[in-house]
Amino acid sequence: MKFRPLHDRVVVEPLEEEEKTAGGIIIPDTAKEKPMQGKVLAVGPGSRSEDGKVTALDVKKGDKVLYGKWSGTEVKLDGKTMLIMRESDIMGVLQ
């Protein structure tokens, strides 16, 4: 990828939800919800405090994260749909 986020921004690739329920029912595209999990592809250097010090981010490239349903800005990079969001939009890292 030829994109480097600035400050406390993170680039996340949304992970697609299952297309079938546990009972085997196939969910059509119109009924699917927006994904809330994704993989971190790039992170910025961190946020800058008032005294000029840079605070590193808690997430790193490769982390699988959980974020809010309407978080971030959707962009197309290299033909893929990505989300650019602030670290504060991320609720947590999945283990």
Side-chain angles (χ1 to χ4, degrees):
M1 177 182 359
K2 298 174 185 158
F3 181 81
R4 182 177 54 96
L6 299 176
H7 306 294
D8 64 339
R9 289 189 172 74
V10 179
V11 178
V12 176
E13 179 181 23
L15 298 176
E16 292 301 319
E17 298 289 324
E18 291 291 323
E19 297 198 10
K20 280 187 182 180
T21 64
I25 299 171
I26 297 175
I27 303 169
D29 288 339
T30 55
K32 286 184 185 176
E33 292 192 18
K34 286 185 71 155
M36 294 174 54
Q37 293 181 18
K39 181 179 177 185
V40 176
L41 298 180
V43 296
S47 59
R48 197 173 292 275
S49 63
E50 289 183 21
D51 61 354
K53 293 182 182 174
V54 176
T55 305
L57 301 181
D58 289 331
V59 296
K60 61 186 179 303
K61 183 178 177 179
D63 282 348
K64 188 175 176 183
V65 295
L66 184 68
Y67 53 87
K69 191 177 285 190
W70 304 106
S71 298
T73 302
E74 198 171 280
V75 295
K76 285 244 184 206
L77 295 172
D78 297 333
K80 294 185 201 173
T81 301
M82 306 290 173
L83 290 170
I84 299 174
M85 64 182 73
R86 293 190 177 274
E87 185 189 35
S88 60
D89 291 338
I90 296 174
M91 291 186 252
V93 177
L94 298 168
Q95 301 291 331

